[in-house]
Amino acid sequence: MSGASDIASCGGSLPVQREHGQRQVFCGLAGIVWLHRKIQDAFFLVVGSRTCAHLLQSAAGVMIFAEPRFGTAILGDRDLAGLADCNEELDRVVTELLARRPDIGTLFLVASCPSEVIKLDLDNAAARLAREQQGRVRVLAYSGSGLDTTFTQGEDTCLSALVPELPEADAGGEALLVLGTLPDVVEDQFRRLFEALGIPALHFLPPRRGSELPPVGPGTRLLAAQPFVGGTAAALVDRGATLLEAPYPFGIEGTRAWLGAAAAAFGIAAARVDEVTAPAVARAERGLERYRAQLAGKRISFLPDSQLEIPLARFLQHECGMTLVEVGVPYLDRRMMGAELDWLPSDVRLTEGQDLERQLDRLRADRPDLTVCGLGLANPLEAEGLTTKWSIELVFSPVHGFDQAADLAELFVRPLNRRERLAF
Amino acid sequence: MGAIRIAASMQDVHCVLHAPQGDSYADLLFTMIARSAKRPPVTYTSFQARDMGADTAELVRKTLRETVDRFQPQALLVGEACTGELLQDQPAALAQGMGFDCPVVPLELPAFTRKEQWGASETFHQLVRTLLRGQPPRARDPAAEGRRPRANLLGATALGFRCRDDIAEVTKLLDGAGVDVNLSAPAGASPEDLRRIPEADFNICLYPEIAQSTCAWLERMFKQPWVKTVPIGVGATRDFLREVGEVAGIDTSAAIAAGRTRLPWFSRSVDSTYLTGKRVFIFGDASHVIAAARIATEELGFEVVGLGSYSREFARELRTAAERYGVEALISDDYLEVESAVLELAPELVLGTQMERHIAKRAGIPCAVISSPVHVQDFPARYAPQMGFEGANVIFDTWVHPLMMGLEEHLITMFREDEEFHDEAVASHLGSGRVSSSSAETAARPAATAEPTMSADDMGAEAALVWESEAERELKKIPFFVRGKARRNTERFAAERGVARITVETLYDAKAYFGR
């Protein structure tokens, strides 16, 4: 199993090499870091081990909050012995927490590797606790376990848990639902653009508050802003929504096509899209120009990490003139990546999954000008003389849309620029 | 995590952990926080849900085989992360059955009950036991062999606090006393080096959290005595050299006399008068906390108002130390508990880990870091040991720097309304930001009493307290950095006496009562 790889054909076009082996990637618990900032009245309670607590506290670098809206209910030896005790203990922790924090409107019980392995049923626990709270607090469960989720996939499982809670949209109510966490500033930019285009009704999932869940129904047109929300998209389609096929709003082309797909779904003419977006496109062109010259012709490799690899690679190749050496993704969701894959060059080396040591062997042989990788690998690769860009910044920074296109390019320019400046 | 710290500290050791994807986050603590240029030598099986239906034991075997082929370690540590433990694949037993050339050290670390330091200590102990198996104890007599006494420095690890520089400083210190260092472990040692442990005449347990059990075992098995004093602070460094002398059978008094440290004089100099009785709260690993409490009281003239540690294994030592300062030791790994202790005690200085640094920052209390876990800035580029005489110099600077300087404290009364010194100015060394008129003051007070209207948490006698406006104005005349304490003391004084309205008189009565 470990080390195996095979070539599979993807949708009849791009071949993808599948790898199994050691992975260097966060588990889905990491999603809590941005989800708890986005949904202001939600609390995330991880039911896990000390390792889970340690990940959240130190690796995520979020120790700065006194009493943040996330925590870990630590499973001890006693809990492993009997599920009954475990449930009792969880009820106690939750009751105490909710009594102490009246500001919490939605509580997520987040499953971890150990809770999954001992088969602790958090869905049941959530239902039980919700009943006890008598509607005062919504209690939901999802998995952030490394057994089921990699890094950004934790957002997908979280949002999937919200889908059954969404109210039914009024019959005939046509609305656009934008799916995937965006920084508030970017969300507001998109809101202005969609309103200018004349989109009749607009909602975002996740909402800024758990109490403001968007409606869903047959009139819902679903537009994914992030490539890692495939499970949620499928659940929304089950509730009647129509998923719009579009690339992701990275760079000018991606954003233009993404807005265009939404406009088309509401019968808005392409000319109107050009008209509305023209000022922002012109601004973005000016901003991007400066960085293109510095990126053009440079070779880049992506190690599998955030699921953003494919759209970012497309942006850097198409709009910035970079050469793609290898694009690695943790998993390939063809339904969510269709439009993006069409834009990738046909000879790109696309890999799915990871076998870390072999991947590093290839990387050392390739010696690209820039390597996009996780924090655990960045310094050791720099020490080997490779220039790196930490992928986590691409998840946490506002990088979507026209007005961030230049910022996105700059994130890749900076490490190259730094290398050039330093005398050693 | 503890096992990874040992593997990452050493050369030619590799660790295989049966762990799900996601657990590899541990790597970044080494590569980012300690700026390690090498990945820690750890391979994870990275099992996923779909593997669990199949044969995870085969995944373990395959990972082991590939790891040994690729890295050719001199010793292989094999264990499970918390979830791996639940699968009961027994990877260590599998590894032992695979006929590798290198010794396999099984790690039996119950991740659900014990913590990182214990895991590191146990891993080191197991590794040493495995590598020394079968070696007979030997007779040693440096004088007869015509050589200087030799010592092992045990306990330094990756991610430990200032270990790199402590080893250099202690090596220098010992050299001055006429003792050679045989080896330092785990940091920097290979399994080959560990086999040479019995060549030393004695061991020095520099970091008891990591090395105490190993030192005790070596004493039993190889008749190696060990030095127990941790040389942090001037007094402790002198005690350490004395103990080295006793254990090695040499006279170290010349080395003690030759010790160059500025701490004693700096501490006696008049500028340091303002340090007198500064109320300090100390939290960290047991050895650093116990050492810090001694320095704080005996060498800087502070008052220890609270101390505690996350090192449960050393609770007894901590309680004994705490008793000496008339406080109760807080043994906890719940940072919220530590935070409420800090807020309640309202110390003037916090000495702690990265977590206490955040707590102190939020509370507006000066802080210095004295123990792991630490952040990237506590792996400094410069030489900054904690141990030995140079370590004492470093400690004086590091602890005193966050406090207001003596001269500054004088001037602030004199120039209170000046641009630089008015109430809303932040102390110059704390950055150029301005704080709102109340935050400097409220920050130094317990959060619960921060607002004039008391919160529900605080519905005691104090809830009824009212400050007359004249008393409020008088309070403002007190320099802001002691105002919080004055307010607190006055309120406590009033509450204890059932005084509901605080007048100017109450304020001065309280001042007289509490002194200083």
Side-chain angles (χ1 to χ4, degrees), chain B residues 18-78:
Chain B
H18 196 22
Q21 68 171 349
D23 279 15
S24 60
Y25 83 87
D27 286 12
L28 73 86
L29 301 179
F30 298 91
T31 67
M32 294 303 291
I33 292 178
R35 286 194 173 93
S36 164
K38 277 190 336 197
R39 278 165 56 212
V42 184
T43 302
Y44 306 86
T45 57
S46 302
F47 61 84
Q48 289 173 274
R50 60 160 189 245
D51 298 325
M52 288 167 60
D55 188 359
T56 45
E58 182 47 37
L59 175 65
V60 173
R61 272 192 290 267
K62 185 142 194 157
T63 307
L64 285 164
R65 199 159 35 237
E66 290 183 355
T67 301
V68 171
D69 282 351
R70 181 178 282 269
F71 296 101
Q72 307 277 325
Q74 286 180 25
L76 186 66
L77 307 174
V78 184

Side-chain angles (χ1 to χ4, degrees), chain A residues 1-3 20-27 49-51 54-55 57-59 63-68 75-77 80 113-114 117-118 146-150 356-358 360-361 375-377 379-380 383 390, chain B residues 20-25 27-29 31-32 35-39 42-44 46-52 54 59 62 66 70-71 82-83 86-87 111-116 333 335-336 339 354-355 358 362:
Chain A
M1 189 169 297
S2 158
H20 304 296
Q22 183 182 192
R23 290 188 162 214
Q24 176 66 247
V25 63
F26 286 128
C27 61
S49 65
R50 288 184 195 286
T51 312
H54 195 254
L55 162 79
Q57 264 179 21
S58 55
M63 308 198 298
I64 42 176
F65 305 106
E67 195 177 0
L75 295 168
D77 267 352
L80 304 178
C113 299
V117 171
I118 63 169
L147 298 171
D148 319 300
T149 60
T150 57
L356 180 63
E357 299 298 346
R358 283 168 206 234
L360 294 178
D361 289 345
L375 287 176
L377 292 169
N379 267 336
W390 331 337
Chain B
Q21 68 171 349
D23 279 15
S24 60
Y25 83 87
D27 286 12
L28 73 86
L29 301 179
T31 67
M32 294 303 291
R35 286 194 173 93
S36 164
K38 277 190 336 197
R39 278 165 56 212
V42 184
T43 302
Y44 306 86
S46 302
F47 61 84
Q48 289 173 274
R50 60 160 189 245
D51 298 325
M52 288 167 60
L59 175 65
K62 185 142 194 157
E66 290 183 355
R70 181 178 282 269
F71 296 101
C82 48
T83 308
L86 298 169
L87 294 185
F112 287 98
T113 44
R114 299 302 198 112
K115 292 197 302 288
E116 177 182 330
D333 55 3
Y335 68 98
L336 292 175
E339 176 167 52
Q354 174 69 1
M355 291 306 278
H358 286 308
R362 271 193 306 275

Side-chain angles (χ1 to χ4, degrees), chain B residues 21 64 90 122-123 246 256 325 336 338 352 415 438 481 500-501 512:
Chain B
Q21 68 171 349
L64 285 164
Q90 302 182 317
E122 191 57 20
T123 303
E246 284 160 25
I256 293 169
Y325 309 107
L336 292 175
V338 178
F415 299 106
S438 60
F481 52 89
R501 292 186 73 79

